[in-house]
Amino acid sequence: ISEAAIDAYADGVGKAWYGDTDGAIASFGQALTVKPDYANALYERGNAYYNRGDYPSALTDYQSAMQAGRDDTNLGWNLGWTYYMVGRFDEAITEDRRVLKQDPTLIGVQFNLALALMARGDFEEAETEYYKGVNRAVAEVTKAHEQGLQPPSSFWYYMDASALDIDNLLLELNGTPKWWTQAPSRDT
């Protein structure tokens, strides 16, 4: 990867860090002008588009990053969640399952899978997947306590986030979303 592409990518990461989403998108675009298959620039621009609320562009960049060779759980997690946000539940479910094959310990993805199943109307399967996540959570807490430790803070973050995701879906379905609500539209 050329120095010009790396510099533009680094500039985009910095701008994204400071909340300059439009500037980040432009900088990642510059990196991609130099190297169109720059997987990390595609992924990070996808994140910037997601933060802007431009989910179709985020999906395009996530898919392009995967085609360019980036195939990690972070990309898959974001891709699955973005499919969920636009109401493409079948694809969200497929992607979440693929990520869980890569790393079955990702409790956040486990709960995202259950949520997408629930949103699709597969309530029994959603319940099964939620129980898998709950059982995994119990096992993780038990293991940590047996070692005299606490689960990492990220564990608690994803437990809280999964409960909030259900609340957000219910707010959307009830027609009372808040400005912070992240859920697919009622129409989907």
Side-chain angles (χ1 to χ4, degrees):
I1 300 174
S2 73
E3 189 171 328
I6 292 171
D7 287 346
Y9 170 81
D11 187 59
V13 169
K15 287 176 178 172
W17 177 258
Y18 284 103
D20 179 5
T21 303
D22 292 336
I25 289 169
S27 292
F28 294 131
Q30 289 173 350
L32 291 163
T33 298
V34 176
K35 181 159 178 52
D37 63 343
Y38 192 170
N40 287 342
L42 287 161
Y43 170 73
E44 293 296 344
R45 188 174 71 177
N47 289 340
Y49 278 129
Y50 182 91
N51 290 335
R52 183 198 271 174
D54 183 351
Y55 304 132
S57 294
L59 280 175
T60 298
D61 277 352
Y62 291 150
Q63 292 163 338
S64 296
M66 189 175 283
Q67 290 170 354
R70 182 167 176 160
D71 187 21
D72 58 52
T73 56
N74 289 329
L75 172 61
W77 192 332
N78 290 359
L79 180 59
W81 181 255
T82 308
Y83 280 136
Y84 165 77
M85 287 294 295
V86 298
R88 292 169 61 177
F89 305 124
D90 291 340
E91 291 157 297
I93 291 162
T94 298
E95 189 59 28
D96 290 341
R97 286 186 171 137
R98 191 185 72 77
V99 170
L100 288 169
K101 280 186 180 180
Q102 288 179 314
D103 186 349
T105 68
L106 294 174
I107 198 163
V109 177
Q110 182 69 53
F111 289 131
N112 287 354
L113 170 59
L115 186 68
L117 286 161
M118 185 169 55
R120 188 173 74 177
D122 294 330
F123 302 116
E124 287 182 29
E125 192 173 0
E127 183 178 28
T128 298
E129 295 300 331
Y130 271 117
Y131 276 118
K132 284 181 187 177
V134 169
N135 289 335
R136 186 168 291 132
V138 169
E140 190 169 330
V141 170
T142 300
K143 180 181 175 185
H145 286 177
E146 286 172 352
Q147 297 173 351
L149 303 171
Q150 291 290 326
S153 60
S154 61
F155 170 85
W156 300 113
Y157 173 83
Y158 291 118
M159 293 296 292
D160 287 341
S162 66
L164 183 60
D165 292 338
I166 294 170
D167 288 341
N168 285 336
L169 182 59
L170 291 172
L171 287 169
E172 183 66 37
L173 291 174
N174 291 331
T176 57
K178 308 298 182 207
W179 65 267
W180 64 81
T181 300
Q182 280 202 4
S185 74
R186 252 177 108 166
D187 298 337
T188 61

